[in-house]
Amino acid sequence: APEAVALVHEDEELSYGELNARANRLAHHLIALGVRPDQPVAICLERSPAMVVGLLAILKAGGAYLPLDPAYPSARLRQIVEDAAPRLLL
């Protein structure tokens, strides 16, 4: 049911079809940027539809997502990124 509501955040709703289309577009972009299977891709976003799209896109591209909490101190985020060496950061 592509028209069914898949995601609700505050006053924004995304259908399954729209969520899938957005994730596919981003996944193709990530692949074009060089994301390969099991390669870490960092994602640092507040909880939002964009975060869900990003997570799905990373998985669709074959990557492994590295969640980064934007509330962490910048020194901690830098340490995590240096240790994991992700291909990209969303």
Side-chain angles (χ1 to χ4, degrees):
E3 297 82 29
V5 175
L7 184 132
V8 177
H9 181 263
E10 296 174 357
D11 60 348
E12 185 177 2
E13 288 185 357
L14 283 180
S15 68
Y16 283 101
E18 182 60 25
L19 179 60
N20 190 51
R22 288 184 188 187
N24 283 342
R25 279 193 300 272
L26 182 54
H28 288 293
H29 184 66
L30 294 174
I31 291 167
L33 291 173
V35 173
R36 300 290 175 250
D38 299 324
Q39 190 171 47
V41 176
I43 182 165
C44 187
L45 293 169
E46 297 288 336
R47 289 180 184 214
S48 66
M51 182 190 76
V52 176
V53 169
L55 292 173
L56 288 173
I58 292 167
L59 294 173
K60 285 177 175 251
Y65 66 87
L66 172 65
L68 301 173
D69 189 337
Y72 283 179
S74 60
R76 176 69 178 136
L77 291 173
R78 193 170 24 261
Q79 179 187 18
I80 293 169
V81 169
E82 287 173 2
D83 286 346
R87 172 75 182 191
L88 298 169
L89 170 63
L90 297 178

